Amino acid sequence: MNAADLIGFVVHEARLIDEQRFEEWLDLFTEDGRYWMPLEMGQTDPVLQQSLFYDDKLLLRIRVERLLGARTFSQKPKSRCHHVLQTPVVDESDAAANRYVTYTPFHYVESRLDEQTLYAGWSRHHLTMIDGALRMKLKRVDLVNPDSAFGNIQLFM
Amino acid sequence: MPDYRTDAGALRALVRETEVHRDVYTDPGVFALEMERLFANTWVYVGHASQVANAGDYATTTIGAQPVVMVRDHTGVVRVLHNRCPHKGTKVASEVCGNTGRLFRCPYHGWAFRTDGKLHSIPLKEGYDNTGIEATAAAQGMAPVRHVREYREFVFAKINDGGPDFETYFGDALSSIDNMVDRSPVGRLEVAGAVLRYMHRCNWKMLVENLTDTCHPMIAHESSAGTATRLWKQQPEGTPRHPAVEIYAPFMSPYSFYEAMGIRIWPNGHGHTGVAGSIHSNYSAVPGYFDAMVAAYGEDRAKAILDINRHNTVYFPNMTLKGPIQTLRVFKPLAAHRTLVESWTFRLVGAPDQLLERTLMYSRLVNAPTSVVGHDDLEMYERAQESLHSDANPWVNMQRLYDPAERDQETAVTNGTTEWQMRNQFRAWAKFMAPA
């Protein structure tokens, strides 16, 4: 596994979200994969501390199916989103353990109706190779301001 | 547009038997009067004593629009102080929470105050010699909120001297706090997990009305709870019940379920859904918990405590809690069209961690800015806030299961789909806003 492959994965993953190709995006997670957005800086416990997201694949699938629903009124009209990524850094690359971790500062805009909201943070992708393809065991998204009051966050960072 | 400040009749006319005028949601003048007359004359939830466990611990918050700080003083008493330096008005405690040591010190000119608010020292104090400073409000320190009551560690405060005393104001509504605390085998709660903060561009009362609105879940939440239920049914048979589906699925219960759930009405705008049971009644048992409760209370009492599964209890004006899942929400009014929702979560001291895990999951899935259930609700509030500006009809209807006889009935248990509790809230609202 070289750095270009890992970086390419992270860039592709953000693009799938921005293009709302959510079925393909879900396929990037391992079956036990998690999407985690802590509520506190430096948080280490997702279970007995509160988080903004701590979704397994079923919870992510509920969100994705909901976005497509005919009676999903908070998506009438729909939201759109946009990522700007800093070049990812490979923090860990351990082929023997099949464990790879990248670090990616980002800006993310979510937009609906006349509003667009800017979020900033750092993503950490915990990746593993399954059947010749990289998959996410964990995507951890730390916002610069997780303790701020937010309106609806309806898509994925 | 009437001047509601001087025209008591116009203010009273905003609330009819089964309708309210849209100005109660949209008018900045009405909002300002709510801060003065409703939030200053009622017992408003400030925080939980576990947030300030040690002397000098403090937590900052607001009562209505007014900044306050809850602090445990050096005699161990929880106080609520106006968070304003008596000198120039600077906010003294700026962190969300912390420990101030023995003194609060204003960052502007260094005036220092004891943890009970009394003035401790002023730098270069001789500059005030013979000026008569002793007689001024400035020399009195950080003004305490004069009426503070800690009930089973829930701290409430009333800013003005008038208005009902604590017991008269809440009455039997305190039983929902009792049940939440009693669910701990040692009778104690602790705030656990950080607070979720969710900004709503709508009036605070829409959120309070929604607490006992049992005719919206199967419609507004079809997108979230309905999708969760549908996806779950597609799982292979024998798949263990997903804890999140256990939380989502009851939202899709039919009208008959909500009718049978029941609503209880109390004086002063308090009330609760879920008299005979609720969407919280059928969560899976957590291993070890019932045994711990039996050991603490005996079997009969333990069963009696756990058989109460109230849904939302309204502590009018702006707090609600759910005993069976140990969550508490505060609807902080910021403007007529702007409300901050804080969702607090509690650990039942002495109970298995798995209960806290479920509490946190519930709050994250239902009350967070990232919650699909929350998205469903906020969309409705914001659409209402926007379209109330239509002049087609300035009245908002709350007539379901109305009976003129209810006017003389302060307490009731009734059909769970009634809008009586919404009417009850507005009767209390009118009582404080425009006393006859």
Side-chain angles (χ1 to χ4, degrees):
Chain A
M1 185 65 52
N2 59 40
D5 294 328
L6 296 167
I7 291 167
F9 178 93
V10 172
V11 171
H12 177 64
E13 190 256 343
R15 179 171 176 172
L16 288 183
I17 296 174
D18 288 354
E19 295 180 355
Q20 305 214 9
R21 292 154 64 187
F22 293 126
E23 283 297 325
E24 291 170 74
W25 181 67
L26 283 177
D27 288 341
L28 295 185
F29 284 89
T30 61
E31 284 314 301
D32 61 349
R34 292 272 188 170
Y35 175 74
W36 181 24
M37 187 183 291
L39 186 57
E40 295 179 82
M41 299 302 290
Q43 190 175 330
T44 55
D45 184 352
V47 176
L48 296 179
Q49 295 292 330
Q50 190 58 289
S51 299
L52 287 159
F53 287 89
Y54 188 55
D55 278 12
D56 61 15
K57 218 163 171 176
L58 179 74
L59 290 177
L60 289 174
R61 183 163 289 286
I62 290 169
R63 292 181 190 275
V64 165
E65 292 270 333
R66 177 183 175 276
L67 290 173
L68 304 171
R71 292 181 184 157
T72 301
F73 305 112
S74 76
Q75 285 296 297
K76 290 177 179 291
K78 288 191 174 300
S79 303
R80 291 192 286 267
C81 69
H82 179 275
H83 283 81
V84 175
L85 306 183
Q86 190 171 308
T87 305
V89 174
V90 178
D91 273 356
E92 281 185 58
S93 182
D94 184 341
N98 192 11
R99 177 185 159 79
Y100 309 92
V101 181
T102 60
Y103 163 85
T104 314
F106 69 88
H107 280 189
Y108 168 86
V109 165
E110 199 168 294
S111 155
R112 182 168 176 253
L113 291 162
D114 296 328
E115 297 274 331
Q116 68 170 33
T117 308
L118 174 66
Y119 302 86
W122 307 270
S123 289
R124 287 177 176 82
H125 291 70
H126 294 241
L127 305 175
T128 194
M129 188 71 107
I130 295 177
D131 297 333
L134 280 170
R135 292 285 177 267
M136 291 186 279
K137 286 179 77 70
L138 172 68
K139 181 177 180 183
R140 173 178 173 147
V141 179
D142 284 278
L143 293 178
V144 69
N145 59 339
D147 48 354
S148 287
F150 299 115
N152 283 347
I153 298 173
Q154 300 205 60
L155 301 178
F156 307 97
M157 291 188 203
Chain B
M1 180 77 68
D3 180 359
Y4 294 117
R5 179 174 295 280
T6 55
D7 189 345
L11 195 55
R12 269 195 295 277
L14 294 175
V15 177
R16 294 176 173 172
E17 273 294 274
T18 60
E19 293 179 314
V20 295
H21 192 274
R22 56 116 179 262
D23 281 5
V24 307
Y25 303 103
T26 58
D27 185 67
V30 171
F31 179 85
L33 290 173
E34 286 180 332
M35 297 304 102
E36 293 171 31
R37 298 180 184 175
L38 183 61
F39 281 82
N41 288 312
T42 53
W43 291 88
V44 175
Y45 179 71
V46 176
H48 191 263
S50 66
Q51 295 169 254
V52 291
N54 303 305
D57 283 355
Y58 69 86
T60 55
T61 182
T62 48
I63 297 175
Q66 303 194 41
V68 297
V69 56
M70 175 173 76
V71 58
R72 191 174 294 276
D73 76 13
H74 279 80
T75 66
V77 174
V78 175
R79 306 213 177 241
V80 180
L81 309 175
H82 288 274
N83 192 4
R84 172 206 193 276
C85 182
H87 178 211
K88 301 287 190 196
T90 311
K91 190 175 188 179
V92 178
S94 60
E95 300 276 357
V96 174
C97 59
N99 185 291
T100 194
R102 297 198 70 84
L103 299 172
F104 284 111
R105 186 171 180 275
C106 179
Y108 197 178
H109 301 94
W111 288 33
F113 312 95
R114 301 202 311 239
T115 46
D116 61 3
K118 292 206 175 66
L119 183 64
H120 170 269
S121 55
I122 297 175
L124 200 63
K125 186 149 193 292
E126 52 272 32
Y128 293 104
D129 285 352
N130 306 316
T131 64
I133 185 93
E134 302 78 18
T136 67
Q140 308 311 307
M142 290 170 72
V145 177
R146 284 157 50 92
H147 306 280
V148 177
R149 179 64 195 273
E150 190 179 328
Y151 182 81
R152 302 196 74 174
E153 298 200 288
F154 290 77
V155 179
F156 294 83
K158 182 165 66 67
I159 287 185
N160 288 349
D161 289 340
D165 66 54
F166 181 81
E167 277 75 16
T168 307
Y169 183 64
F170 283 123
D172 290 339
L174 295 171
S175 59
S176 290
I177 290 179
D178 289 336
N179 182 253
M180 182 148 136
V181 180
D182 290 346
R183 284 169 172 267
S184 153
V186 300
R188 209 152 52 78
L189 298 171
E190 280 174 1
V191 166
V195 59
L196 285 164
R197 304 174 70 239
Y198 192 177
M199 193 62 78
H200 283 52
R201 282 175 303 187
C202 69
N203 188 270
W204 64 275
K205 295 187 291 301
M206 291 182 186
L207 287 134
V208 185
E209 283 151 41
N210 185 255
L211 294 170
T212 61
D213 183 321
T214 53
C215 288
H216 85 280
M218 62 296 286
I219 307 294
H221 298 307
E222 183 186 334
S223 85
S224 52
T227 301
T229 310
R230 183 167 54 77
L231 279 180
W232 181 247
K233 284 184 180 148
Q234 295 166 7
Q235 301 289 313
E237 215 167 304
T239 311
R241 243 196 331 172
H242 192 290
V245 175
E246 198 167 283
I247 287 168
Y248 281 135
F251 281 79
M252 291 307 289
S253 303
Y255 290 110
S256 57
F257 173 90
Y258 287 102
E259 287 183 309
M261 202 166 94
I263 285 182
R264 181 178 275 122
I265 309 294
W266 284 306
N268 293 316
H270 315 303
H272 78 90
T273 39
V275 180
S278 76
I279 63 168
H280 306 306
S281 291
N282 291 312
Y283 296 148
S284 299
V286 167
Y289 176 51
F290 184 66
D291 295 342
M293 289 292 284
V294 170
Y297 294 103
E299 188 163 344
D300 289 350
R301 174 91 178 107
K303 278 188 175 155
I305 293 167
L306 298 175
D307 276 351
I308 296 173
N309 282 295
R310 292 178 182 175
H311 173 223
N312 292 321
T313 299
V314 177
Y315 287 86
F316 188 75
N318 71 328
M319 187 272 269
T320 185
L321 56 79
K322 290 175 179 289
I325 195 79
Q326 296 94 51
T327 64
L328 180 154
R329 276 177 290 163
V330 184
F331 308 109
K332 290 187 163 177
L334 305 181
H337 62 288
R338 206 166 158 83
T339 305
L340 173 62
V341 182
E342 288 186 349
S343 292
W344 295 85
T345 41
F346 293 82
R347 175 197 296 277
L348 295 170
V349 179
D353 280 348
Q354 223 180 312
L355 283 160
L356 174 59
E357 186 179 346
R358 179 155 69 199
T359 294
L360 293 167
M361 178 182 274
Y362 185 94
S363 201
R364 182 166 70 243
L365 293 180
V366 178
N367 300 136
T370 46
S371 147
V372 286
V373 174
H375 299 163
D376 294 338
D377 281 326
L378 179 53
E379 176 71 11
M380 298 307 126
Y381 309 142
E382 290 186 346
R383 287 192 192 196
Q385 194 70 37
E386 181 181 351
S387 285
L388 282 174
H389 289 95
S390 161
D391 289 332
N393 168 16
W395 298 96
V396 171
N397 188 281
M398 34 197 75
Q399 201 148 2
R400 180 177 286 279
L401 294 173
Y402 171 68
D403 176 352
E406 73 185 38
R407 188 89 223 191
D408 306 316
Q409 209 177 333
E410 281 204 305
T411 300
V413 172
T414 186
N415 183 311
T417 57
T418 187
E419 288 176 338
W420 187 344
Q421 173 55 20
M422 300 177 201
R423 299 189 287 273
N424 187 39
Q425 286 159 199
F426 272 104
R427 286 169 192 149
W429 185 91
K431 182 171 85 175
F432 286 99
M433 290 291 285

